[in-house]
Amino acid sequence: MKYAFKLLCAAAIALGLAGCIAAPVELTTQTETRLKAQAPVRFLLTYDDGPSASSFWNPSATVLDSLKVNPVQPDIKAVFFVQTRAPRAGNSEIGRSIMRREHAEGHILGFHTATHWHTNHRLLDPQELEQSLTNGTADIAAITGAAPILLRPPFWNYDKRTFAAYQQHGLHVLLTDLSANDGKIWGFNASPRRRANMLRQLSEVRERIALGEFPTVDGVIPVVVTFHDLNRYTARHTREYLQILLDSAAATGVRLADKPFYDDHAALQKAALARTVEQSSEPVQLPGIWNWIWDHDAH
């Protein structure tokens, strides 16, 4: 199963490199009219798999620097879904110092994993999953002073059993609307089709916004975007990715709020909670190939 999954991911990367990203969905007059009745969009940035434990040009620290100072909007806040027990992530002094910085700078620490590896929770037996959730929430609480309330399962994958375990720990599942497809797989660390990828995905999300499928929170529609702060390419291009999101919105007819990104911790948390999955049976829409991977296997 693990080998097949890796092959699937490698195939997806190969397709992306070959340029096989579909063109943006055409903006019709009907969709344009419907969009005018909807609130403007604000991007809700999330980062998975960190923090980096690297002592050489730490990518997580670089992401934080770029969110704080950039030409688009200063002091952007994000949700960091962390791996608290991975030795090359949060189970290191450097990793813990990064998490302390994330909290101090007003970002949100969400739970991702508390296992040695980036393990699908569905592969853990009940005791292992319980131990992981207990350890992870305690690790984050030791830094922030409170247990986390947001969780993103590895690979966005869960089932009734794991979802029930999350609920018992007061954890709410936040998935994503847009993915930079920047996960570090087999050492691959680039994204030559990053603009085409975001354009296509945002045009698909725009169609759902026009149909009223997204909630409005404090006058804006939160659209969740996923990156990986362990990825050095992502870290180097964080400021460019911010501009790509703005350019993609303009190109697809998506109206943005005056502040296109969240810069307040409380507002960010409120918006994230409004976008969480309420029941394990709730149909979800993941970007790209992920729906196809999990469609008949999860939820």
Side-chain angles (χ1 to χ4, degrees):
M1 174 64 183
K2 290 182 179 180
Y3 181 71
F5 177 74
K6 288 181 178 180
L7 285 178
L8 197 60
C9 292
I13 290 174
L15 285 172
L17 286 174
C20 297
I21 296 176
V25 178
E26 183 181 355
L27 176 62
T28 65
T29 302
Q30 183 182 48
T31 295
E32 191 172 13
T33 300
R34 287 174 172 171
L35 281 174
K36 292 178 181 178
Q38 300 295 331
V41 161
R42 179 169 290 155
F43 292 117
L44 195 165
L45 302 184
T46 67
Y47 290 85
D48 288 2
D49 294 355
S52 171
S54 176
S55 59
F56 172 73
W57 194 78
N58 187 289
S60 295
T62 301
V63 167
L64 290 171
D65 292 341
S66 297
L67 293 178
K68 187 174 183 63
V69 179
N70 62 78
V72 172
Q73 182 180 328
D75 292 320
I76 296 172
K77 309 305 180 191
V79 181
F80 288 86
F81 290 102
V82 295
Q83 300 189 78
T84 66
R85 295 291 171 111
R88 296 180 64 182
N91 195 19
S92 66
E93 186 47 47
I94 292 176
R96 285 186 286 271
S97 70
I98 291 290
M99 288 191 288
R100 287 192 290 268
R101 177 183 169 185
E102 288 168 349
H103 173 63
E105 294 185 1
H107 301 286
I108 293 175
L109 293 184
F111 179 74
H112 199 44
T113 71
T115 51
H116 186 85
W117 304 107
H118 185 265
T119 305
N120 189 324
H121 290 168
R122 297 178 69 200
L123 300 180
L124 302 176
D125 65 36
Q127 288 185 332
E128 290 173 328
L129 178 59
E130 176 62 26
Q131 190 63 58
S132 176
L133 294 173
T134 299
N135 289 343
T137 53
D139 294 339
I140 293 173
I143 291 173
T144 67
I149 59 175
L150 294 172
L151 169 143
R152 175 169 289 155
F155 313 109
W156 298 309
N157 192 223
Y158 58 88
D159 56 19
K160 291 181 179 179
R161 175 181 70 91
T162 59
F163 195 90
Y166 303 153
Q167 288 183 315
Q168 290 175 358
H169 284 264
L171 292 165
H172 302 263
V173 174
L174 180 66
L175 299 177
T176 196
D177 304 310
L178 307 173
S179 172
N181 291 336
D182 62 340
K184 189 172 183 180
I185 303 169
W186 287 354
F188 179 76
N189 203 352
S191 183
R193 298 282 289 166
R194 54 194 177 277
R195 284 187 176 269
N197 169 63
M198 205 64 78
L199 268 171
R200 171 64 187 188
Q201 290 187 25
L202 187 55
S203 73
E204 294 173 337
V205 168
R206 177 201 64 208
E207 299 300 300
R208 297 173 57 204
I209 292 173
L211 292 173
E213 296 181 8
F214 284 54
T216 298
V217 183
D218 293 334
V220 298
I221 296 174
V223 170
V224 184
V225 190
T226 294
F227 299 96
H228 293 75
D229 57 305
L230 288 185
N231 190 313
R232 292 181 181 276
Y233 183 90
T234 295
R236 290 196 302 272
H237 293 82
T238 296
R239 293 182 176 91
E240 181 191 0
Y241 271 118
L242 298 177
Q243 188 61 52
I244 286 174
L245 286 168
L246 300 190
D247 294 344
S248 297
T252 55
V254 171
R255 181 165 58 100
L256 294 179
D258 291 338
K259 288 186 176 181
F261 301 94
Y262 284 89
D263 60 5
D264 177 79
H265 178 99
L268 174 65
Q269 180 167 287
K270 183 178 179 180
L273 284 172
R275 295 301 318 280
T276 55
V277 181
E278 295 183 0
Q279 299 178 358
S280 61
S281 59
E282 180 180 327
V284 299
Q285 182 74 33
L286 292 170
I289 66 169
W290 291 100
N291 264 344
W292 178 76
I293 293 175
W294 301 130
D295 189 35
H296 301 293
D297 191 37
H299 325 316

